[in-house]
Each structure stands twice: as C-alpha cells, then as structure tokens.
C-alpha cells in the first residue's frame, strides 16, 4: 500500500509540474489565476456545502444508494456539459457545436432520474413481496 501511495503522490506532483509549466505560457496569467481562485471559492462556498446538505437529507430519508448514485451521475454529466450549457446564443460557425446540447443534457438527466425511480420502485416491490404476512 505504501508503494502505491508513493507512486500516486509522485504522479500527482508530476502532473502539477506540467500544470505549472503550462501556466507559464499563458498570456493573461492574472485572469487565469483569478478564474482558478474563483473555481476554488465556488467549490468551497457553494458546491461542497450543497453536497453535504443533500447527503444529510438522504441519510435522514433512508434512501441512500440509488439516489446517491443518480446524483453522482447527474453531477458528472452536468460538469461535463457545463461549458456548452453556459455558452450564450448562436455560434458563428454552426458546425462547431451542431447539436442541441442543453436539450440533450436535460434528456440524459431525466433518463437517469427515471431509471433511479424505476430501480427504487422495483426494490420496494421486491422487498414487499419477501416479507411474510403475519
């Protein structure tokens, strides 16, 4: 286990070195550093507390596994789609992003929520059939 940690740490340090070397080539370094700082603040002030509150609500409601998995998948989908979701208006070159990404993101999140609801319903039905009638 120690060798794995050392290897992972060395890989992390190497990747941070690559990131710092790439930052040296940026023309607007203060703007990039402001953006990176904003991302840290956004995570620590908004995203992390929301995740903790949702997790607390899920623990108290008793619905844990499938809902947490669905939220994880929806969050990952949103993170990947965020640049095109926040891109305003029409593009000058329609072939760059030719699809309706906001609609496709919404359809995908609805599919994740629907599969989760069906999973929970099947699990509740299955658990209800297993209990002996007294």
């Amino acid at each position: 286990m120690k060798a794995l940690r050392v290897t992972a740490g060395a890989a992390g340090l190497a990747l941070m070195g690559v990131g710092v070397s790439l930052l040296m080539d940026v023309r607007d370094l203060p703007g990039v550093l402001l953006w990176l700082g904003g991302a840290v603040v956004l995570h620590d002030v908004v995203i992390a507390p929301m995740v903790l509150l949702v997790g607390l609500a899920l623990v108290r409601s008793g619905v844990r596994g499938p809902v947490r998995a669905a939220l994880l998948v929806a969050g990952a989908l949103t993170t990947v789609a965020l640049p095109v979701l926040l891109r305003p208006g029409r593009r000058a070159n329609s072939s760059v992003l030719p699809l309706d990404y906001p609609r496709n993101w919404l359809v995908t999140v609805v599919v994740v929520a629907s599969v989760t609801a069906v999973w929970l319903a099947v699990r509740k039905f299955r658990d209800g059939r297993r209990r002996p009638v007294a």
Side-chain angles (χ1 to χ4, degrees):
M1 187 63 153
K2 186 175 180 180
L4 179 63
R5 286 185 182 183
V6 170
T7 304
L13 287 172
L15 288 174
M16 287 191 323
V18 169
V20 168
S21 71
L22 290 174
L23 270 179
M24 294 304 137
D25 294 336
V26 172
R27 291 186 181 143
D28 184 23
L29 186 60
V32 171
L33 293 176
L34 179 66
W35 185 87
L36 289 172
V40 170
V41 170
L42 176 68
H43 176 270
D44 290 350
V45 175
V46 178
I47 297 172
M50 282 178 41
V51 168
L52 292 173
L53 288 174
V54 169
L56 181 64
L58 289 175
V59 167
R60 292 187 183 212
S61 71
V63 180
R64 293 187 186 131
V67 175
R68 287 192 311 193
L71 288 173
L72 180 67
V73 170
L77 287 170
T78 302
T79 301
V80 169
L82 205 54
V84 292
L85 292 175
L86 296 178
R87 185 171 200 106
R90 308 283 299 164
R91 287 161 288 291
N93 184 353
S94 62
S95 67
V96 173
L97 296 172
L99 302 176
D100 187 0
Y101 291 98
R103 184 202 66 208
N104 294 345
W105 168 81
L106 184 61
V107 167
T108 307
V109 170
V110 167
V111 167
V112 168
S114 301
V115 167
T116 304
V118 169
W119 182 276
L120 289 172
V122 166
R123 194 165 86 173
K124 186 175 182 179
F125 177 74
R126 186 189 66 207
D127 290 347
R129 291 187 64 185
R130 287 185 183 173
R131 292 191 179 123
V133 178

